[in-house]
Amino acid sequence: MSDSDHDRDNDGGPEAYYNDTHRAFLQAFLSRGSMTFREAQPILAAIFTIDEKQEEGDKAKGTEPADVTQEDFESYVSALSTMTSPLDIEIRSITHQVSKERIYALVNTTSDPVTQLATLHNAEEIAFIRRVIDAMFDKYNTPRMEVMCLDGMQANKLRSAPRNEDEDVPPQEEDGNGAATQTIGGLKGLRSSEVENVMHSMVEEGWFERSREGFYSLTARALLELRQWLVDGYNDPDLNPNEWQRIKFCEACREIVTVGQRCAERDCCVRLHDGCGDGFWRSRKERKCPRCSRDWDGKHFVGERAVTETEAYMRGRRRSGKGRSSRGDVGRSSLAGQAIEYGEEEEEV
């Protein structure tokens, strides 16, 4: 079904083609924060059906989700972008690094990004979320292991802000599990149970995603929202383009890489999303890094596979017989966490 069937006044400014069907779609978008074309099809079909029945009454046939085209969807996204732009809100899109689906998200272009993605949380929780993101892109993101994710055990260790060694030891309280929490900078920190609740809520709200192996990472929507903030916060603008940086972009699509493949040369910054690799190499005569000319073997990874593809991790799984873990892993030692810690210790040797 063509979008022109629902937009009948095409003269004049943007308001001329923005009607109640667009407003209904915007409400659906706002309630979700992000959306794929596949997710939008039944929503738009329901909106189109209601609009048809208002125009034609009971004789209206209605619209099936399969009848909603990519053109319909993109037309509505374009109209929403035009109308929300004066409010400093944009609709941006990115390809999910694992599912390969194109994801469209509402992005606030003016407010502090981390505060924006944590608006439903209190000050202690926002401070904790900042520490989690910092751990993802700093502590667990080194030239040797670009993990850029963490598990529940690492998250629980971040429940209180680190204390400045030059300061007096702040007063401590015990949480419900007998673990001490510190009051730092006027913030008490979180209890272990609260850490679990915050991590779960960040998944439910679409900012973090949790893998089957128990690793938490930023969603595609969060990468859209935080793109410039991550670059400004973790990359050194004074380094030359060939020096290692914490935030790196796919050589093919130019989006941030937190899941994919890396050059075998530790200090080289060339990265590729798994889904971008085939098209990228088809246009080249040989599989060599375009910057350092090192052979590209596809066996060096970014993301949780930087840990899970190691012999140490696989050996640990065989010894423990550990299966997939559930949500309730915060505060308990896990194989995923041990593997990250192992990588850090090996790097220090």
Side-chain angles (χ1 to χ4, degrees):
M1 177 172 291
S2 170
D3 186 60
S4 61
D5 292 336
H6 306 283
D7 296 331
R8 295 171 176 80
D9 300 316
N10 292 320
D11 297 327
E15 295 85 355
Y17 61 83
Y18 188 84
N19 57 32
D20 286 341
T21 64
H22 296 91
R23 296 182 185 93
F25 188 53
L26 177 58
Q27 287 296 323
F29 222 133
L30 288 170
S31 68
R32 290 163 175 79
S34 63
M35 197 179 297
T36 65
F37 168 58
R38 178 174 51 84
E39 292 168 338
Q41 282 182 298
I43 297 171
L44 284 173
I47 292 172
F48 291 171
T49 296
I50 293 172
D51 186 49
E52 290 164 12
K53 288 185 176 180
Q54 288 178 341
E55 291 289 330
E56 304 174 23
D58 293 338
K59 65 179 182 179
K61 294 171 56 179
T63 301
E64 295 295 324
D67 296 329
V68 178
T69 67
Q70 183 77 34
E71 182 182 3
D72 290 330
F73 174 62
E74 291 178 357
S75 173
Y76 270 68
V77 167
S78 177
L80 264 56
S81 295
T82 299
M83 296 304 295
T84 58
S85 179
L87 304 175
D88 297 317
I89 296 175
E90 295 180 0
I91 297 180
R92 298 176 185 170
S93 67
I94 190 173
T95 300
H96 193 281
Q97 297 175 96
V98 177
S99 71
K100 316 279 193 306
E101 278 193 290
R102 196 72 182 170
I103 296 174
Y104 297 76
L106 287 166
V107 175
N108 189 303
T109 60
T110 57
S111 66
D112 175 72
V114 176
T115 303
Q116 180 64 24
L117 65 81
T119 50
L120 299 179
H121 300 271
N122 61 37
E124 280 87 356
E125 292 169 344
I126 292 174
F128 165 72
I129 292 165
R130 286 178 179 272
R131 294 194 294 273
V132 168
I133 295 174
D134 194 52
M136 289 177 179
F137 291 96
D138 191 352
K139 183 176 183 180
Y140 301 126
N141 180 22
T142 66
R144 185 185 175 277
M145 294 186 75
E146 296 177 4
V147 184
M148 285 180 276
C149 56
L150 78 174
D151 81 327
M153 185 178 71
Q154 278 80 41
N156 190 59
K157 289 180 179 180
L158 302 170
R159 64 184 181 273
S160 295
R163 180 178 61 86
N164 188 323
E165 294 181 357
D166 296 330
E167 297 175 354
D168 293 334
V169 177
Q172 295 186 344
E173 301 176 1
E174 284 193 357
D175 67 13
N177 298 318
T181 62
Q182 296 179 345
T183 301
I184 298 176
L187 299 178
K188 287 176 54 179
L190 302 177
R191 296 181 174 86
S192 293
S193 59
E194 292 172 328
V195 167
E196 183 170 351
N197 289 334
V198 171
M199 296 299 287
H200 182 65
S201 68
M202 291 296 284
V203 172
E204 290 292 303
E205 293 161 19
W207 300 114
F208 290 172
E209 54 189 16
R210 187 181 185 277
S211 73
R212 296 176 63 192
E213 296 289 348
F215 290 90
Y216 293 92
S217 60
L218 292 186
T219 62
R221 174 190 177 185
L223 289 174
L224 278 173
E225 190 84 41
L226 299 177
R227 177 187 171 109
Q228 193 58 50
W229 183 84
L230 291 170
V231 173
D232 293 342
Y234 296 104
N235 282 2
D236 186 345
D238 296 327
L239 295 180
N240 70 59
N242 294 321
E243 293 185 86
W244 189 84
Q245 295 272 23
R246 296 189 184 279
I247 306 300
K248 289 166 286 295
F249 294 84
C250 176
E251 198 73 10
C253 73
R254 304 300 177 183
E255 295 291 350
I256 291 177
V257 177
T258 61
V259 178
Q261 299 178 17
R262 60 179 293 178
C263 178
E265 177 60 44
R266 180 178 295 185
D267 295 327
C268 181
C269 284
V270 173
R271 303 293 181 268
L272 278 173
H273 291 124
D274 293 324
C276 296
D278 290 342
F280 182 79
W281 295 118
R282 274 199 300 269
S283 63
R284 285 161 173 75
K285 295 180 180 180
E286 52 186 0
R287 294 173 70 95
K288 289 185 179 292
C289 176
R291 295 193 192 180
C292 71
S293 299
R294 183 87 175 260
D295 286 340
W296 194 281
D297 58 15
K299 297 180 181 179
H300 294 77
F301 301 106
V302 175
E304 68 179 65
R305 284 184 301 169
V307 171
T308 60
E309 293 293 328
T310 62
E311 177 57 33
Y313 181 87
M314 292 185 282
R315 184 169 60 247
R317 287 194 71 89
R318 291 194 295 268
R319 287 176 178 173
S320 67
K322 185 177 178 66
R324 307 298 189 200
S325 57
S326 63
R327 170 195 164 194
D329 63 350
V330 175
R332 298 202 302 268
S333 177
S334 68
L335 186 59
Q338 293 168 17
I340 294 179
E341 299 295 346
Y342 172 84
E344 289 180 327
E345 291 171 4
E346 188 174 275
E347 185 179 14
E348 293 172 358
V349 174

